[in-house]
């Protein structure tokens, strides 16, 4: 039997990670945070004090390093030559500031998209990111685009205590040539600006029901 993927895309701090995590818990599915994979590559670039804008150097690194990706406790963990960066390191201000530069490099995307697709060989899953419904799993009927107003998103990120120029990151993610952030034609769009997490989850689950999940 072929496994099924629920794709959850959207801009930074839209609430998609929380929705994806809770949904995966409630439905008993593996949760794949694809952003953490782009963040892990960025973390390694910065750890080596390389310039994230220097694409030829990043490409060299991509070939040198062993990039691992495993599922543990229902979620994916990325390793870099056997070392697993902590979530706090992946979410650091420095990584926030550079991740979009790394994510626009086509070879980085090819490597990570391949790993993301391999997860579907293991079971049904929820995957969140920017291009899951458009590029990684374009044929899945279960697609959601979770968004919120720019003000609400900036306030949510600030409340987490992170220095994160979300609108700048969104601009870079939306304007890049390869796999830009955009709404898939067949995605269900949910604006969470005035909704609680519970309300968003209810909407997602009722739509999944309708779609025959
Ligand atoms: O948590 P937040 O929404 O702020 O970001 P994230 O999902 O951790 O993604 C971090 C960055 O990775 C994004 O700003 C994109 O540049 C990149 N990304 C991507 O290009 N494609 C994905 N499928 C997921 C993330």
């Amino acid at each position: 039997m072929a496994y099924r993927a629920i794709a959850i895309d959207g801009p930074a701090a839209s609430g998609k990670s929380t929705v994806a995590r809770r949904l995966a818990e409630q439905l008993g599915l593996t949760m794949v945070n694809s952003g953490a994979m782009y963040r892990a590559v960025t973390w390694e670039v910065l750890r080596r004090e390389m310039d994230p804008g220097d694409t030829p150097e990043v490409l060299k690194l991509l070939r040198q390093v062993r990039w691992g990706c495993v599922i543990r406790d229902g979620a994916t963990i990325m390793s870099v030559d056997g070392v697993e960066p902590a979530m706090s390191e992946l979410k650091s201000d420095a990584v926030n500031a550079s991740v979009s530069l790394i994510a626009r490099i086509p070879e980085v995307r090819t490597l990570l998209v391949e790993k993301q697709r391999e997860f579907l060989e293991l079971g049904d899953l929820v995957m969140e990111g920017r291009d899951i419904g458009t590029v990684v799993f374009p044929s899945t009927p279960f697609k959601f685009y979770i968004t919120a107003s720019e003000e609400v998103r900036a306030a949510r990120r600030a409340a987490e205590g992170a220095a994160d120029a979300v609108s700048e990151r969104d601009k870079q993610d939306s304007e890049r040539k390869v796999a830009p952030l955009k709404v898939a034609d067949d995605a269900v769009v949910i604006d969470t600006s005035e909704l609680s997490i519970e309300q968003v989850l209810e909407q997602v689950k009722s739509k999944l029901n309708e779609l025959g999940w």
Side-chain angles (χ1 to χ4, degrees), residues 9-14 16-17 33-36 38-39 91 96 99-101 103-104 109 116 128-132 136 157 164 166 169-170 173 176 179:
D9 290 302
S14 56
K16 66 182 186 310
S17 303
N33 174 350
S34 66
Y38 292 93
R39 286 174 181 275
K91 291 262 178 186
N96 283 342
V99 63
S100 293
L101 282 175
R104 69 177 188 183
R109 305 202 69 83
Q116 289 154 14
E128 58 133 326
R130 300 289 186 289
D131 62 340
I132 312 305
V136 183
R157 202 39 51 105
D164 188 2
V166 288
R169 201 142 58 80
D170 289 342
D173 291 342
R176 70 176 172 227

Side-chain angles (χ1 to χ4, degrees), residues 145-149 189-195 200 203:
Y145 188 90
I146 308 287
T147 186
S149 72
V189 179
I190 302 179
D191 186 327
T192 70
S193 305
E194 306 200 344
L195 298 177
V200 180
Q203 287 194 17

Side-chain angles (χ1 to χ4, degrees), residues 3-5 7 117 120 131-143 184 186:
Y3 291 114
R4 301 170 300 170
R117 289 184 179 145
L120 199 59
D131 62 340
I132 312 305
T134 51
V135 173
V136 183
F137 300 124
S139 61
T140 182
F142 311 108
K143 292 182 193 176
D186 52 346

